[in-house]
Amino acid sequence: MIARKRDGAEHSSAEIRWLIERYTAGELPDYQMSAWAMAVFLRGMSVAETAALTQSMLASGTTLSWSDGPAVVDKHSTGGIGDKTSLIIAPLLASCGLRVPMLSGRGLGATGGTLDKLEAIPGYRTDLSLVEITRVVDQVGCVITGASAELAPADRKLYALRDVTGTVPSIPLITASIMSKKLAEGPSALVLDVKFGSGAFMKSLEKARELARSLVATGTRMGVATTALITDMNQPLGRLAGNAVEVDESLDVLRGSGPADVRELSLALAAEILVSAKSAPTLSTARSVLEKCLASGAAYERFRQMVAEQGGNLDAPRPRAAAFIIESPTAGFLAAVDAEAIGYAIIELGGGRKKLGQSIDLAVGIEMLVRVGDRIERDQPLIRVFARPPEQQETRHQLLSALTITPAAASPWPLIVERITETL
Ligand code: URA
């Protein structure tokens, strides 16, 4: 359904632009904007209206502009537990000759944030200025840093309002929020990892599909080659979840090893970009180019260079807390994982924030020792926990309750469930 005006007509681009301009300038009070956000939350928006909203939010701030040269591209994930593919995809695409100005965020809800993870590398700066962003991309091919306040300021203001008015879970509002920030980077190609399941923002496949279609339609309409993969978040991605531990696992993948699911998802998302940016004719050609960049160490080398340019020291030890193991109280099959509960357990350990601005413990986290579908013996190790102090009964209880072990065999979702594209 679409939020109509009283006469039933859609809102024009000019009307939406007026609303966003006045709100960003502080000339429209929060109570009126809240009423509008609730109307959109309840009634929806058309594709044209969503694109107009995205355009207006994008125009509320600066956009990065790039000199002639290799395609500027990016990946965005709607977030999940153990989702570390940004750390792999940015240097991987740079090693294939593309430019990747990846502006990332901090932990949100139960999910970790790319910036928090990278700050586990001693010295790594996540507050680069626009001039520094351009310089690092020109020198290395990629940057991963925080979004500066100059980009899409309307989103900052509207998101804070949505957060306190129950209007965050609205497909058009999420679409405009995500796409205005990503399009401000000035990309010509974008891939979206839209996750569904217990550890994702979208719990159902249907909702994830709706969001993916809206994101792809909006990106395409705005002239950016956009595709999306709908991917499984019914268990953590990879083995390790936390901050420093996720950097370690990303480095494993960049060095050509690491868990199969992290490697596979990184390659699949990066392949979408190579094709959208016209750097490869097909997904399978793209994959073999990407596999070579991993195998040769070129992607790992880009990561090292990016870290160095951003002030970090990859050779300095990263913090890792002492570990304890949680064993299975019963035999059976791992049928389900409440990935969100695992994310909240990591936050309880200090690995994420309960309050805005809180400092976090980069050394804590978990390692999943089993996957959905595995046969489990009684007393078999299920999860390794990195905690300070190491043995914590509450965490043991929280994490055990996040796992469902049943007598009957169970099978996991495929990692990549669907691919969403649109041709105008
Ligand atoms: N992430 C965003 O950036 N915006 C939203 O509205 C929801 C998730």
Side-chain angles (χ1 to χ4, degrees):
M1 241 199 304
I2 295 165
R4 299 280 182 205
K5 295 190 289 187
R6 257 186 234 155
D7 62 5
E10 284 187 26
H11 290 277
S12 69
S13 303
E15 286 168 325
I16 292 172
R17 189 167 58 243
W18 179 89
L19 187 79
I20 295 300
E21 278 173 3
R22 294 282 81 74
Y23 182 60
T24 314
E27 292 163 15
L28 196 74
D30 279 349
Y31 56 81
Q32 288 191 345
M33 202 59 185
S34 309
W36 174 83
M38 187 53 80
V40 173
F41 173 77
L42 294 172
R43 303 287 306 271
M45 277 184 139
S46 70
V47 172
E49 287 173 319
T50 308
L53 178 61
T54 308
Q55 177 59 47
S56 306
M57 284 168 52
L58 172 65
S60 71
T62 313
T63 49
L64 297 182
S65 54
W66 300 98
S67 54
D68 286 345
V72 174
V73 300
D74 198 9
K75 182 255 1 173
H76 176 80
S77 161
T78 55
I81 314 301
D83 181 10
K84 54 201 67 80
T85 63
S86 291
L87 277 63
I88 299 156
I89 291 173
L92 178 56
L93 289 171
S95 71
C96 294
L98 300 179
R99 291 184 283 182
V100 194
M102 194 178 269
L103 304 185
S104 298
R106 301 204 176 267
L108 188 68
T111 67
T114 299
L115 301 182
D116 297 325
K117 294 170 198 179
L118 284 166
E119 284 175 358
I121 302 172
Y124 191 96
R125 280 183 54 216
T126 56
D127 61 349
L128 268 50
S129 66
L130 295 181
V131 172
E132 289 173 308
I133 291 172
T134 316
R135 180 183 58 76
V136 178
V137 171
D138 284 343
Q139 284 177 4
V140 184
C142 61
V143 71
I144 309 181
T145 183
S148 86
E150 295 110 302
L151 303 174
D155 176 60
R156 230 163 243 251
K157 206 168 165 196
L158 184 56
Y159 191 89
L161 188 71
R162 286 166 57 211
D163 203 21
V164 292
T165 54
T167 52
V168 169
S170 149
I171 300 273
L173 295 180
I174 297 172
T175 301
S177 168
I178 292 175
M179 294 305 277
S180 61
K181 284 176 288 199
K182 283 286 127 179
L183 299 184
E185 298 171 358
S188 63
L190 192 59
V191 66
L192 300 149
D193 179 4
V194 181
K195 296 192 178 292
F196 82 98
S198 63
F201 198 44
M202 296 290 158
K203 302 289 175 215
S204 74
L205 178 56
E206 290 68 32
K207 276 285 172 202
R209 191 180 285 130
E210 207 185 318
L211 177 59
R213 286 193 179 138
S214 172
L215 291 165
V216 169
T218 303
T220 310
R221 213 180 167 96
M222 295 184 70
V224 176
T226 311
T227 61
L229 297 181
I230 299 183
T231 71
D232 178 37
M233 187 26 73
N234 287 290
Q235 59 184 329
L237 184 70
R239 289 169 68 96
L240 291 156
N243 291 291
V245 290
E246 289 196 40
V247 174
D248 295 346
E249 191 163 81
S250 306
L251 287 172
D252 288 345
V253 175
L254 283 168
R255 289 193 202 100
S257 57
D261 60 341
V262 183
R263 179 184 160 90
E264 174 55 33
L265 186 55
S266 304
L267 286 169
L269 290 164
E272 291 288 336
I273 283 290
L274 283 194
V275 172
S276 294
K278 302 200 172 5
S279 293
T282 63
L283 288 172
S284 66
T285 324
R287 246 193 109 97
S288 48
V289 172
L290 292 161
E291 277 167 3
K292 277 188 199 125
C293 288
L294 278 182
S296 68
Y300 173 70
E301 199 39 50
R302 289 294 166 137
F303 187 78
R304 278 196 82 86
Q305 285 168 14
M306 179 187 80
V307 167
E309 287 299 325
Q310 295 191 225
N313 180 359
L314 207 51
D315 299 321
R318 286 177 291 282
R320 188 179 282 204
F324 70 94
I325 299 270
I326 298 177
E327 282 129 6
S328 181
T330 176
F333 292 88
L334 184 61
V337 175
D338 182 346
E340 187 169 66
I342 293 187
Y344 281 122
I346 296 170
I347 293 175
E348 283 298 325
L349 290 171
R353 294 177 190 82
K354 289 194 201 166
K355 280 192 282 181
L356 208 65
Q358 203 177 356
S359 70
I360 60 176
D361 188 345
L362 300 166
V364 302
I366 60 109
E367 180 174 10
M368 293 295 295
L369 304 172
V370 284
R371 311 276 310 155
V372 171
D374 283 359
R375 191 188 169 82
I376 309 283
E377 303 301 335
R378 195 189 151 94
D379 296 330
Q380 179 179 334
L382 299 173
I383 303 181
R384 179 175 290 123
V385 187
F386 305 100
R388 291 199 263 220
E391 179 60 66
Q392 297 197 11
Q393 275 317 315
E394 182 57 28
T395 310
R396 184 179 287 277
H397 176 72
Q398 270 177 335
L399 288 171
L400 264 182
S401 323
L403 307 185
T404 306
I405 297 172
T406 56
S411 45
W413 280 93
L415 178 62
I416 298 167
V417 177
E418 239 170 86
R419 175 169 185 261
I420 308 282
T421 60
E422 177 161 305
T423 41
L424 282 183

